[in-house]
Amino acid sequence: MTEELTPDGELRRRTIRAVVGFGLAGLVPFGVWKWLKSSPTDAGIRQPLREVLRLNARVGSALFSPDHLAPTFPLAMAARNVRVNGREGLRSPVAGADTYAIRVEEPQPAGPPIRRELTMADIRALPHQELVFQFKCIEGWSQIQHWGGVRFADFVNRYVPRLSGPDAPYRYVGLETPDGGYYVGIDRASMLHPQTLLAFDMNGRPLTEPHGAPLRLIIPTKYGVKNLKRIGLIRFTSEPPRDYWAERGYDYYIGL
Ligand SMILES: Nc1nc2c(c(=O)[nH]1)N[C@H]1C(S)=C(S)[C@@H](COP(=O)(O)O)O[C@H]1N2
Ligand SMILES: [Mo]
């Protein structure tokens, strides 16, 4: 079983917020509601509401600071039974860590992107980094978890040095499973945050398949949905890459 980490006080506050929010929703004039209902949709949600998400993303990005770290916890607080959630892109068998390929795509000023393949040995060659933090899923659960791997920022500096400077010509990173069944797009600042990891260890042991073996993303400044398991492709882009849950109506930025 997983631990319940939500104290009663927090639940009560959330309930009050929900009730107040519901009450205020009752004050929305009928005309506004009708206007909203008749507006076009964008990835499953009404255009005006999508605009609110865009504003959220702009405010979130503006407030985002690489110096602001997610709280970390002592090792002893890390969950032993780490919860599993989401199997998109994990249904086909995974190649063993020895033969696993991580495809990397960098944009070129003209022509098709430069494509390369890296191995798990290439990833492991980078400085090791451990992190114990509170993982948060939008479905309403959270858990203190212990991850090990390498910083994404170190990965860029070592393997895509052309893209490491402050003026590097990309704004987003797209990650996909090898079969393309799950995919996320993440803004550059969040990817280069010092706590964003390419993770291959969990609780000091190699990652298991349901958790994304051999390599997954751990990004504490985003909700669980962006923490893509089984990374098969890393793509640097100027336009927002496709994103599995954003296509289904969720917030694209989805920052914490
Ligand atoms: N490939 C892949 N990665 C994924 C998902 C998924 O369905 N497929 N689900 C996401 C969601 S919603 C969550 S909460 C976390 C859960 O990671 P865990 O199974 O290690 O707890 O994985 C994320 N990464
Ligand atoms: Mo999630």
Side-chain angles (χ1 to χ4, degrees):
M1 276 311 288
T2 50
E3 295 144 57
E4 179 53 66
L5 291 167
T6 312
D8 281 354
E10 173 62 15
L11 267 185
R12 207 160 30 243
R13 270 194 301 282
R14 280 195 212 165
T15 309
I16 290 167
R17 238 184 285 149
V19 169
V20 170
F22 187 74
L24 290 177
L27 298 177
V28 174
F30 183 64
V32 171
W33 179 76
K34 254 177 66 182
W35 165 76
L36 204 55
K37 285 291 280 183
S38 62
S39 61
T41 56
D42 174 344
I45 74 167
R46 297 287 168 189
Q47 194 74 51
L49 298 178
R50 180 57 78 186
E51 288 306 326
V52 173
L53 288 181
R54 292 218 173 89
L55 179 66
N56 280 351
R58 276 205 297 280
V59 172
S61 309
L63 295 176
F64 186 90
S65 157
D67 305 327
H68 184 96
L69 298 180
T72 55
F73 299 85
L75 259 183
M77 285 181 73
R80 298 294 140 84
N81 298 312
V82 179
R83 190 160 168 168
V84 174
N85 208 49
R87 297 225 6 106
E88 300 309 321
L90 304 185
R91 292 193 178 92
S92 47
V94 65
D98 305 341
T99 55
Y100 195 80
I102 299 121
R103 289 175 290 140
V104 181
E105 277 185 26
E106 352 166 4
Q108 290 220 81
I114 303 172
R115 294 198 170 85
R116 271 192 308 159
E117 283 192 358
L118 295 175
T119 64
M120 281 305 295
D122 296 326
I123 305 292
R124 287 173 191 281
L126 295 165
H128 195 80
Q129 190 68 38
E130 304 264 323
L131 181 70
V132 181
F133 82 108
Q134 189 173 14
F135 187 100
K136 292 173 183 156
C137 170
I138 41 172
E139 286 169 40
W141 58 271
S142 72
Q143 199 176 42
I144 294 172
Q145 299 174 347
H146 172 202
W147 299 94
V150 301
R151 287 195 170 116
F152 186 76
D154 289 341
F155 167 86
V156 178
N157 288 338
R158 172 74 179 78
Y159 293 116
V160 210
R162 198 171 63 83
L163 298 185
S164 62
D167 303 319
Y170 76 99
R171 290 174 56 218
Y172 294 91
V173 177
L175 298 108
E176 302 196 1
T177 54
D179 66 359
Y182 195 73
Y183 39 90
V184 298
I186 299 174
D187 56 282
R188 168 181 161 160
S190 300
M191 283 304 290
L192 296 180
H193 186 276
Q195 290 173 314
T196 299
L197 303 183
L198 298 173
F200 45 78
D201 286 342
M202 194 187 80
N203 286 336
R205 303 237 188 90
L207 208 54
T208 57
E209 257 188 55
H211 288 295
L215 190 68
R216 75 171 298 168
L217 186 70
I218 287 295
I219 180 160
T221 51
K222 300 283 185 192
Y223 276 102
V225 286
K226 296 280 190 185
N227 290 243
L228 181 131
K229 300 188 277 193
R230 200 190 281 187
I231 301 172
L233 171 68
I234 301 175
R235 171 187 280 153
F236 298 81
T237 65
S238 46
E239 295 304 315
R242 64 185 191 141
D243 186 277
Y244 186 91
W245 283 110
E247 286 173 2
R248 285 156 182 80
Y250 282 82
D251 182 12
Y252 190 97
Y253 186 75
I254 208 147
L256 280 160

